[in-house]
Amino acid sequence: MIIFPFGFYVLEGKLPVYLGNDLEAQKAMQAWLEANPDCVQLRLDVIGPEQLLTRFLGFDVSGRSAAMDHGPLLFETTCCEKENITVRRLYHDYDAALRGHAELIEISRKKLH
């Protein structure tokens, strides 16, 4: 499967599916995100005062200049405390996002002790 850095995606299981890079693709992605909240939010944990959320974004929001040999960053984990994002990590794939989420859980737990 070829993953393009620019454009809009939905998830098929754990795999991002490229929809295109036009207004119709954007609308399709937005409709999919709204219709599939269980697929969008991968994990949510609260550790002490911190909330950790890992989700599928549907497009690369990193703002970096992507080259065709770099995959898009379609997954995000944020750590929030009192509505302020204290940590934000972006990932290329589903499994990396879950590993990153687990790592941040451990870091948050260690802060409590």
Side-chain angles (χ1 to χ4, degrees):
M1 164 191 279
I2 296 173
I3 304 240
F4 300 97
F6 302 109
F8 302 98
Y9 297 80
V10 297
L11 278 181
E12 220 172 79
K14 293 182 177 184
L15 296 175
V17 176
Y18 182 71
L19 298 176
N21 192 19
D22 58 18
L23 186 56
E24 290 304 312
Q26 183 180 11
K27 288 178 183 177
M29 177 214 57
Q30 197 62 34
W32 184 90
L33 292 174
E34 291 170 10
N36 295 281
D38 293 346
C39 296
V40 173
Q41 182 176 305
L42 307 182
R43 296 285 187 276
L44 174 64
D45 289 285
V46 176
I47 311 294
E50 296 180 325
Q51 176 179 298
L52 287 87
L53 172 64
T54 297
R55 63 191 182 118
F56 172 72
L57 300 171
F59 64 101
D60 189 334
V61 297
S62 67
R64 64 188 172 88
S65 60
M68 289 305 286
D69 59 339
H70 298 292
L73 298 170
L74 299 173
F75 299 87
E76 171 188 67
T77 299
T78 55
C79 182
C80 296
E81 190 171 338
K82 296 180 184 174
E83 298 183 23
N84 295 317
I85 295 175
T86 57
V87 176
R88 180 175 186 232
R89 293 184 180 178
L90 298 169
Y91 307 94
H92 295 286
D93 64 70
Y94 187 101
D95 291 329
L98 294 184
R99 285 191 303 273
H101 185 95
E103 180 183 325
L104 287 174
I105 286 175
E106 289 307 311
I107 291 169
S108 293
R109 284 184 178 154
K110 286 179 183 176
K111 283 195 249 181
L112 291 177
H113 299 288

